[in-house]
Amino acid sequence: MMPNILQQIIVEKRMTLAAAKAHRPVIEIKRRCADLPPTHGFAEALEKPGIRIIAEAKQASPSKGRIVKTGFHVPSIVQAYEAGGAAACSILTEERFFLGSLDFLRQARQITKLPLLRKDFIFDAYQIFEARDAGADAVLLIAAMLEDAQLEDLAAQASVLGLDVLGEAHIQEEVARLAALGIRIIGVNARDLKTFRTDLSAVRTLLREVPPTSLAVAESAIFSKADMHATGATRFLIGEALMRNPSLLPELLA
């Protein structure tokens, strides 16, 4: 059974997606995507040596509520991340639970050449086209909410559009599924999707299950260099800590 909070998010997402399709038919977005310039290499940015951080612009979450009370200005946030040495940026676009927007992705694209990840709950090819049209260079696919056939189809569609895929796992079986499907970037999330609480204790073990042919990313619950070291990773997706203290980024990269 799909976890409770994730289930609520998907129910809401299906409604907003139906409205989006009615407002902008997929054929219209496909035409726009055909005229776009090449994407910026998200996987390529993560391949470079040293600590690589995907810095996230996130206004809220189901577990923490509003993280940024006032002054959530995506262009300023992304510019600060770029200046601080981020390898890439993640932009939350889920509207109700994370107070995100595709407009945030568009705003980020206008002011940076850093690779951008659309962070959302994606289960329909329409959302892949939306991401490309809004300026994404990569999309998140969450193993817990997708069957293998869906993962394969969505990853293939992303590839056709020049988008990289960050496949997200929370348990060993999901890491194995993503690896078997050839997903190149595999993120291990410390967050329990049943409660949205985080625990770093299992991340290090799960990251060891990511094959060497893939790029392993530690996600969530990273607030310090000690947390980073505890995972054993060199690539991280960090949101809340940077939203609360943007100046932390250079310290984490030092």
Side-chain angles (χ1 to χ4, degrees):
M1 186 191 303
M2 193 178 292
N4 290 340
I5 296 178
L6 182 57
Q7 189 174 46
Q8 293 172 31
I9 292 172
I10 298 307
V11 168
E12 182 72 22
K13 197 69 190 177
R14 289 190 186 283
M15 292 189 290
T16 58
L17 181 59
K21 288 181 175 181
H23 179 66
R24 293 183 69 201
V26 68
I27 190 169
E28 177 185 331
I29 303 181
K30 285 183 176 181
R31 281 198 297 262
R32 288 174 55 87
C33 289
D35 296 327
L36 293 173
T39 53
H40 307 75
F42 186 83
E44 182 181 353
L46 296 181
E47 281 180 327
K48 295 179 181 178
I51 300 297
R52 309 299 286 166
I53 292 179
I54 306 164
E56 187 163 88
K58 175 167 68 173
Q59 186 167 200
S61 74
S63 58
K64 298 295 178 70
R66 274 188 179 270
I67 297 168
V68 181
K69 304 299 183 183
T70 59
F72 185 77
H73 185 246
V74 169
S76 298
I77 293 167
V78 170
Q79 285 174 331
Y81 285 163
E82 185 168 14
C89 289
S90 169
I91 310 296
L92 255 297
T93 61
E94 193 282 324
E95 297 90 345
R96 178 179 173 186
F97 295 87
F98 292 85
L99 303 182
S101 171
L102 276 169
D103 284 338
F104 294 158
L105 187 55
R106 296 184 184 99
Q107 291 166 18
R109 180 77 290 151
Q110 289 174 3
I111 55 89
T112 188
K113 292 184 179 179
L114 283 180
L116 300 176
L117 170 72
R118 181 187 184 182
K119 185 85 172 290
D120 210 320
F121 298 82
I122 292 175
F123 53 84
D124 190 297
Y126 183 92
Q127 294 165 289
I128 306 290
F129 284 103
E130 276 187 324
R132 181 70 170 98
D133 180 47
D137 304 291
V139 291
L140 179 75
L141 296 181
I142 302 172
M145 58 177 278
L146 298 167
E147 301 292 337
D148 285 353
Q150 292 175 292
L151 278 167
E152 192 168 21
D153 288 348
L154 291 170
Q157 184 60 73
S159 180
V160 168
L161 292 176
L163 298 170
D164 288 315
V165 169
L166 171 56
E168 183 173 284
H170 299 79
I171 57 175
Q172 185 174 0
E173 183 262 344
E174 292 168 2
V175 174
R177 288 174 57 213
L178 292 169
L181 289 168
I183 301 296
R184 183 149 180 243
I185 311 170
I186 298 179
V188 173
N189 200 315
R191 192 172 304 281
D192 184 331
L193 287 179
K194 295 179 181 178
T195 63
F196 265 63
R197 294 173 184 163
T198 56
D199 180 1
L200 280 177
S201 61
V203 172
R204 189 182 187 98
T205 300
L206 288 178
L207 284 171
R208 292 195 188 109
E209 301 296 322
V210 177
T213 51
S214 295
L215 300 171
V217 179
E219 303 178 42
S220 297
I222 306 293
F223 291 90
S224 66
K225 290 282 283 188
D227 290 338
M228 293 167 67
H229 180 72
T231 69
T234 58
R235 305 175 191 91
F236 305 88
L237 192 154
I238 304 176
E240 182 184 344
L242 294 178
M243 291 308 308
R244 296 190 187 281
N245 181 14
S247 63
L248 180 64
L249 182 55
E251 178 183 325
L252 295 178
L253 287 166

